[in-house]
Amino acid sequence: VDEVMDSLGVPLTGIVAEDPTVWKQGGQAPQGSTAAQCFCNIARRLCGEQVPIIQLERPGFFERLFRH
């Protein structure tokens, strides 16, 4: 994230959680999901609100290995 911000020279607006159900629902984040909350927070920031960025946990080695 820091490398992207540095290379683009723009502030971070938000991070969207990876959620496989978003693909299954045609690009729409299911209501109440972490991805939906991330999108909502980005919209609130664009409207000028001060909203903290959700801290997402990175999946561990075995979780990534056995995900599919």
Side-chain angles (χ1 to χ4, degrees):
V1 172
D2 291 331
E3 289 178 28
V4 173
M5 287 173 42
D6 289 342
S7 65
L8 295 176
V10 296
L12 179 68
T13 304
I15 298 173
V16 178
E18 182 180 347
D19 187 344
T21 58
V22 172
W23 290 105
K24 294 176 186 174
Q25 300 222 1
Q28 294 184 358
Q31 189 173 9
S33 69
T34 303
Q37 184 62 50
C38 291
F39 282 119
C40 182
N41 287 351
I42 290 170
R44 291 172 59 196
R45 281 188 210 95
L46 291 172
C47 289
E49 289 186 48
Q50 297 292 323
V51 181
I53 293 183
I54 296 174
Q55 297 298 315
L56 303 173
E57 292 184 24
R58 298 184 82 178
F61 172 75
F62 289 107
E63 185 178 349
R64 288 192 314 264
L65 183 65
F66 297 111
R67 182 184 302 177
H68 299 287

